[in-house]
Amino acid sequence: MKKKKYVAVASTLMCGALLLLNSGSMAADTSKTEKESILWTINFLKKQESQSLNDVEEEINKVNKDTSITKFDMKKAKTRFEDVVFLGDSITEYLRQANILDSASVLAQKGEHVSQAIKHMSEIRDLKPKIVVILYGANDINAYSPDKFKEEYIKLINAIKKIDPKVKVYVQAPLPVNENITTKKDTRFNNENIKLLTNKLKQAASVTGARFLSSDGLITSRSLYEGDGIHLKYNFYKNWLYFLSENI
Protein backbone atom coordinates (compact mmCIF):
# COMPACT_ATOMS: atom_id res chain seq x y z
CA MET A 1 0.00 0.00 0.00
CA LYS A 2 1.25 3.52 -0.74
CA LYS A 3 2.15 5.67 2.23
CA LYS A 4 -0.47 8.30 1.44
CA LYS A 5 -3.16 5.63 1.53
CA TYR A 6 -2.01 4.53 4.95
CA VAL A 7 -2.09 8.13 6.10
CA ALA A 8 -5.62 8.62 4.76
CA VAL A 9 -6.89 5.47 6.43
CA ALA A 10 -5.09 6.23 9.68
CA SER A 11 -6.35 9.80 9.76
CA THR A 12 -9.91 8.73 9.12
CA LEU A 13 -9.78 6.09 11.83
CA MET A 14 -8.11 8.38 14.36
CA CYS A 15 -10.61 11.18 13.77
CA GLY A 16 -13.48 8.73 14.09
CA ALA A 17 -12.04 7.28 17.28
CA LEU A 18 -11.61 10.72 18.82
CA LEU A 19 -15.15 11.72 17.93
CA LEU A 20 -16.48 8.56 19.50
CA LEU A 21 -14.44 9.12 22.62
CA ASN A 22 -15.71 12.66 22.93
CA SER A 23 -19.28 11.41 22.64
CA GLY A 24 -18.61 8.77 25.30
CA SER A 25 -19.25 5.75 23.08
CA MET A 26 -17.45 3.22 20.93
CA ALA A 27 -19.09 1.66 17.87
CA ALA A 28 -18.03 -1.91 18.45
CA ASP A 29 -17.39 -2.14 22.17
CA THR A 30 -19.02 0.30 24.57
CA SER A 31 -17.40 -1.45 27.54
CA LYS A 32 -13.96 0.02 26.80
CA THR A 33 -12.65 2.88 28.94
CA GLU A 34 -11.24 5.93 27.17
CA LYS A 35 -7.66 4.84 27.90
CA GLU A 36 -8.35 1.32 26.60
CA SER A 37 -9.96 2.74 23.46
CA ILE A 38 -6.99 5.02 22.73
CA LEU A 39 -4.52 2.15 23.23
CA TRP A 40 -6.65 -0.08 20.98
CA THR A 41 -6.59 2.57 18.25
CA ILE A 42 -2.81 3.07 18.47
CA ASN A 43 -2.17 -0.68 18.31
CA PHE A 44 -4.60 -1.00 15.42
CA LEU A 45 -2.79 1.66 13.41
CA LYS A 46 0.60 0.06 14.05
CA LYS A 47 -0.70 -3.28 12.83
CA GLN A 48 -1.87 -1.76 9.52
CA GLU A 49 1.71 -1.04 8.42
CA SER A 50 2.06 -4.63 7.23
CA GLN A 51 -1.46 -5.04 5.79
CA SER A 52 -2.97 -4.40 2.38
CA LEU A 53 -5.55 -1.66 1.84
CA ASN A 54 -8.32 -4.25 1.51
CA ASP A 55 -7.38 -5.80 4.85
CA VAL A 56 -7.27 -2.40 6.55
CA GLU A 57 -10.70 -1.48 5.23
CA GLU A 58 -12.13 -4.79 6.34
CA GLU A 59 -10.77 -4.31 9.86
CA ILE A 60 -12.31 -0.85 10.04
CA ASN A 61 -15.63 -2.20 8.84
CA LYS A 62 -15.55 -4.83 11.59
CA VAL A 63 -15.25 -2.05 14.15
CA ASN A 64 -18.30 -0.34 12.68
CA LYS A 65 -20.34 -3.45 11.91
CA ASP A 66 -23.23 -2.42 14.14
CA THR A 67 -23.77 0.88 12.35
CA SER A 68 -25.38 -0.48 9.21
CA ILE A 69 -26.13 -4.06 8.36
CA THR A 70 -28.06 -4.93 11.53
CA LYS A 71 -30.26 -1.85 11.51
CA PHE A 72 -32.60 -2.42 8.55
CA ASP A 73 -35.59 -4.74 8.81
CA MET A 74 -35.88 -6.38 5.39
CA LYS A 75 -39.48 -7.34 6.15
CA LYS A 76 -40.34 -3.65 5.96
CA ALA A 77 -38.56 -3.03 2.66
CA LYS A 78 -41.64 -3.30 0.44
CA THR A 79 -43.48 -0.71 2.49
CA ARG A 80 -40.50 1.61 2.85
CA PHE A 81 -39.82 1.65 -0.89
CA GLU A 82 -43.38 1.42 -2.23
CA ASP A 83 -43.05 4.77 -4.05
CA VAL A 84 -39.60 3.97 -5.45
CA VAL A 85 -38.65 2.39 -8.78
CA PHE A 86 -35.24 0.77 -9.21
CA LEU A 87 -33.41 0.63 -12.54
CA GLY A 88 -30.32 -1.51 -13.05
CA ASP A 89 -28.74 -4.78 -14.06
CA SER A 90 -28.57 -8.18 -12.34
CA ILE A 91 -27.28 -6.64 -9.10
CA THR A 92 -30.52 -4.66 -8.81
CA GLU A 93 -32.58 -7.49 -10.28
CA TYR A 94 -31.81 -9.53 -7.14
CA LEU A 95 -34.19 -7.24 -5.21
CA ARG A 96 -37.00 -8.83 -7.22
CA GLN A 97 -35.60 -12.35 -7.37
CA ALA A 98 -35.19 -12.54 -3.59
CA ASN A 99 -38.65 -11.04 -3.06
CA ILE A 100 -37.15 -8.15 -1.13
CA LEU A 101 -39.18 -5.58 -3.10
CA ASP A 102 -42.35 -5.77 -5.17
CA SER A 103 -41.51 -7.08 -8.63
CA ALA A 104 -43.18 -4.13 -10.35
CA SER A 105 -40.83 -1.74 -8.59
CA VAL A 106 -37.65 -3.38 -9.90
CA LEU A 107 -37.07 -2.64 -13.59
CA ALA A 108 -33.78 -4.46 -13.93
CA GLN A 109 -32.43 -7.29 -16.04
CA LYS A 110 -29.32 -9.40 -16.15
CA GLY A 111 -26.76 -8.04 -18.59
CA GLU A 112 -28.45 -4.67 -18.99
CA HIS A 113 -26.45 -1.53 -19.80
CA VAL A 114 -27.43 2.02 -18.96
CA SER A 115 -27.92 2.63 -22.69
CA GLN A 116 -30.70 0.01 -22.68
CA ALA A 117 -32.63 1.46 -19.74
CA ILE A 118 -34.62 3.79 -21.98
CA LYS A 119 -36.92 0.84 -22.76
CA HIS A 120 -38.37 1.11 -19.24
CA MET A 121 -39.84 4.58 -19.74
CA SER A 122 -43.38 3.36 -20.45
CA GLU A 123 -43.29 1.34 -17.22
CA ILE A 124 -42.12 4.36 -15.25
CA ARG A 125 -44.92 6.40 -16.80
CA ASP A 126 -47.47 3.82 -15.65
CA LEU A 127 -46.01 3.33 -12.16
CA LYS A 128 -45.76 7.06 -11.40
CA PRO A 129 -43.01 6.72 -8.77
CA LYS A 130 -41.97 9.59 -6.53
CA ILE A 131 -38.36 8.41 -6.62
CA VAL A 132 -36.20 6.54 -9.13
CA VAL A 133 -32.94 4.90 -8.03
CA ILE A 134 -30.51 3.93 -10.79
CA LEU A 135 -27.52 1.60 -10.50
CA TYR A 136 -25.53 0.59 -13.58
CA GLY A 137 -21.86 -0.10 -14.23
CA ALA A 138 -21.18 -3.82 -13.90
CA ASN A 139 -21.87 -4.39 -17.60
CA ASP A 140 -20.88 -0.93 -18.79
CA ILE A 141 -17.28 -1.09 -17.59
CA ASN A 142 -16.15 -3.05 -20.66
CA ALA A 143 -18.85 -1.92 -23.08
CA TYR A 144 -17.83 1.65 -23.84
CA SER A 145 -15.82 4.63 -22.61
CA PRO A 146 -16.49 6.53 -19.36
CA ASP A 147 -17.54 9.53 -21.45
CA LYS A 148 -20.12 7.40 -23.24
CA PHE A 149 -21.30 6.12 -19.84
CA LYS A 150 -21.85 9.73 -18.77
CA GLU A 151 -23.66 10.56 -22.01
CA GLU A 152 -26.04 7.61 -21.68
CA TYR A 153 -26.80 8.47 -18.05
CA ILE A 154 -27.65 12.04 -19.03
CA LYS A 155 -30.04 10.76 -21.70
CA LEU A 156 -31.69 8.40 -19.24
CA ILE A 157 -32.13 10.96 -16.47
CA ASN A 158 -33.53 13.54 -18.87
CA ALA A 159 -35.97 10.97 -20.28
CA ILE A 160 -37.25 10.20 -16.77
CA LYS A 161 -37.63 13.88 -15.91
CA LYS A 162 -39.49 14.46 -19.17
CA ILE A 163 -42.10 11.96 -18.00
CA ASP A 164 -42.42 13.67 -14.62
CA PRO A 165 -40.35 16.79 -13.83
CA LYS A 166 -41.17 16.36 -10.12
CA VAL A 167 -39.74 12.86 -9.76
CA LYS A 168 -36.56 12.63 -7.69
CA VAL A 169 -33.80 10.75 -9.48
CA TYR A 170 -30.96 9.23 -7.46
CA VAL A 171 -27.93 7.73 -9.20
CA GLN A 172 -26.00 5.15 -7.17
CA ALA A 173 -22.28 4.98 -7.84
CA PRO A 174 -21.12 1.73 -9.48
CA LEU A 175 -20.20 -0.81 -6.84
CA PRO A 176 -16.56 -1.83 -6.34
CA VAL A 177 -15.54 -5.32 -7.37
CA ASN A 178 -13.30 -7.90 -5.74
CA GLU A 179 -10.55 -7.37 -8.26
CA ASN A 180 -8.50 -10.26 -6.88
CA ILE A 181 -11.08 -12.39 -8.68
CA THR A 182 -12.41 -10.22 -11.50
CA THR A 183 -9.09 -9.22 -13.08
CA LYS A 184 -8.17 -12.86 -13.58
CA LYS A 185 -11.03 -13.13 -16.07
CA ASP A 186 -10.94 -9.61 -17.51
CA THR A 187 -8.32 -7.02 -16.56
CA ARG A 188 -10.79 -4.20 -17.25
CA PHE A 189 -12.84 -5.26 -14.22
CA ASN A 190 -10.86 -3.32 -11.65
CA ASN A 191 -11.69 -0.59 -9.16
CA GLU A 192 -9.69 2.09 -10.95
CA ASN A 193 -12.08 1.75 -13.88
CA ILE A 194 -15.00 1.77 -11.45
CA LYS A 195 -13.69 5.10 -10.13
CA LEU A 196 -13.57 6.49 -13.67
CA LEU A 197 -17.23 5.60 -14.17
CA THR A 198 -18.10 7.04 -10.78
CA ASN A 199 -16.47 10.39 -11.60
CA LYS A 200 -18.39 10.57 -14.86
CA LEU A 201 -21.60 9.71 -13.04
CA LYS A 202 -21.03 12.61 -10.64
CA GLN A 203 -20.74 14.89 -13.67
CA ALA A 204 -23.94 13.49 -15.16
CA ALA A 205 -25.76 14.10 -11.88
CA SER A 206 -24.47 17.68 -11.76
CA VAL A 207 -25.58 18.41 -15.32
CA THR A 208 -29.08 16.95 -14.92
CA GLY A 209 -29.93 17.80 -11.33
CA ALA A 210 -30.03 14.16 -10.28
CA ARG A 211 -28.76 13.30 -6.81
CA PHE A 212 -25.53 11.32 -6.61
CA LEU A 213 -25.18 8.57 -4.00
CA SER A 214 -21.74 7.30 -3.07
CA SER A 215 -21.24 3.55 -2.72
CA ASP A 216 -18.32 3.89 -0.30
CA GLY A 217 -18.72 1.58 2.67
CA LEU A 218 -21.71 -0.38 1.35
CA ILE A 219 -19.66 -3.55 0.90
CA THR A 220 -18.45 -4.07 4.45
CA SER A 221 -16.58 -7.33 3.83
CA ARG A 222 -15.21 -9.28 0.88
CA SER A 223 -17.28 -12.19 2.17
CA LEU A 224 -20.34 -10.39 0.76
CA TYR A 225 -19.18 -11.05 -2.80
CA GLU A 226 -20.37 -14.02 -4.78
CA GLY A 227 -17.76 -16.21 -6.42
CA ASP A 228 -17.44 -13.98 -9.51
CA GLY A 229 -16.31 -10.99 -7.44
CA ILE A 230 -19.08 -8.80 -8.89
CA HIS A 231 -22.44 -10.02 -7.65
CA LEU A 232 -23.37 -9.77 -4.00
CA LYS A 233 -25.05 -11.83 -1.31
CA TYR A 234 -28.27 -11.14 0.55
CA ASN A 235 -26.64 -9.32 3.46
CA PHE A 236 -25.25 -6.67 1.12
CA TYR A 237 -28.82 -5.66 0.34
CA LYS A 238 -29.42 -4.96 4.02
CA ASN A 239 -26.56 -2.47 3.85
CA TRP A 240 -27.79 -0.92 0.63
CA LEU A 241 -31.43 -0.56 1.63
CA TYR A 242 -30.51 0.77 5.05
CA PHE A 243 -28.31 3.34 3.33
CA LEU A 244 -31.09 4.27 0.91
CA SER A 245 -33.67 4.49 3.67
CA GLU A 246 -31.46 7.08 5.36
CA ASN A 247 -30.59 9.05 2.21
CA ILE A 248 -33.58 9.25 -0.12
Side-chain angles (χ1 to χ4, degrees):
M1 186 196 303
K2 293 181 180 179
K3 184 176 180 181
K4 64 180 181 180
K5 290 185 177 179
Y6 270 120
V7 172
V9 172
S11 298
T12 301
L13 181 61
M14 184 63 75
C15 289
L18 290 174
L19 285 171
L20 288 168
L21 287 171
N22 288 333
S23 66
S25 64
M26 287 294 291
D29 185 357
T30 55
S31 66
K32 284 185 174 70
T33 66
E34 290 189 11
K35 182 178 180 180
E36 288 172 336
S37 298
I38 293 171
L39 289 174
W40 180 92
T41 302
I42 292 171
N43 289 332
F44 179 90
L45 294 175
K46 287 180 178 179
K47 187 173 68 173
Q48 307 321 309
E49 295 176 3
S50 61
Q51 288 186 290
S52 69
L53 181 58
N54 283 337
D55 289 336
V56 172
E57 290 174 336
E58 192 157 339
E59 287 292 329
I60 293 171
N61 287 325
K62 286 178 183 178
V63 175
N64 294 300
K65 66 182 179 181
D66 65 337
T67 65
S68 56
I69 202 167
T70 61
K71 284 195 172 182
F72 189 77
D73 184 354
M74 295 291 266
K75 294 178 182 178
K76 297 180 180 178
K78 291 181 181 180
T79 301
R80 171 61 181 84
F81 297 101
E82 61 184 355
D83 294 324
V84 182
V85 162
F86 288 76
L87 290 175
D89 50 37
S90 56
I91 291 174
T92 303
E93 185 183 33
Y94 184 85
L95 291 168
R96 180 176 68 243
Q97 293 176 332
N99 197 33
I100 297 170
L101 299 180
D102 288 330
S103 59
S105 300
V106 184
L107 308 180
Q109 293 180 357
K110 180 180 179 180
E112 192 160 286
H113 301 78
V114 64
S115 61
Q116 298 169 315
I118 201 76
K119 66 185 179 184
H120 297 298
M121 293 307 99
S122 61
E123 294 167 278
I124 290 177
R125 185 178 291 107
D126 293 339
L127 289 168
K128 298 180 174 61
K130 293 181 180 179
I131 295 172
V132 176
V133 175
I134 312 172
L135 171 57
Y136 287 99
N139 301 305
D140 304 87
I141 195 169
N142 62 357
Y144 32 64
S145 70
D147 284 325
K148 179 67 173 176
F149 183 71
K150 171 186 172 181
E151 178 185 324
E152 293 298 333
Y153 248 106
I154 291 173
K155 288 180 183 177
L156 175 59
I157 295 165
N158 286 337
I160 294 170
K161 287 184 171 292
K162 186 175 181 180
I163 293 171
D164 181 1
K166 295 181 180 180
V167 70
K168 295 179 180 178
V169 179
Y170 290 85
V171 291
Q172 184 77 57
L175 297 170
V177 297
N178 184 351
E179 56 190 357
N180 291 336
I181 297 173
T182 57
T183 55
K184 292 178 181 179
K185 297 180 180 179
D186 189 331
T187 56
R188 292 171 293 184
F189 275 93
N190 62 69
N191 289 322
E192 285 302 315
N193 284 336
I194 291 290
K195 288 179 183 178
L196 291 176
L197 295 187
T198 298
N199 288 334
K200 293 299 180 180
L201 181 57
K202 287 180 182 178
Q203 295 173 19
S206 178
V207 168
T208 59
R211 304 182 186 191
F212 172 83
L213 296 171
S214 172
S215 290
D216 293 346
L218 291 183
I219 301 174
T220 53
S221 169
R222 280 174 287 175
S223 65
L224 292 179
Y225 285 105
E226 295 287 1
D228 62 3
I230 299 172
H231 292 90
L232 295 143
K233 298 176 182 177
Y234 183 87
N235 277 343
F236 159 76
Y237 293 88
K238 284 186 177 182
N239 266 357
W240 188 25
L241 294 185
Y242 170 65
F243 169 77
L244 291 177
S245 71
E246 295 291 305
N247 288 282
I248 67 173

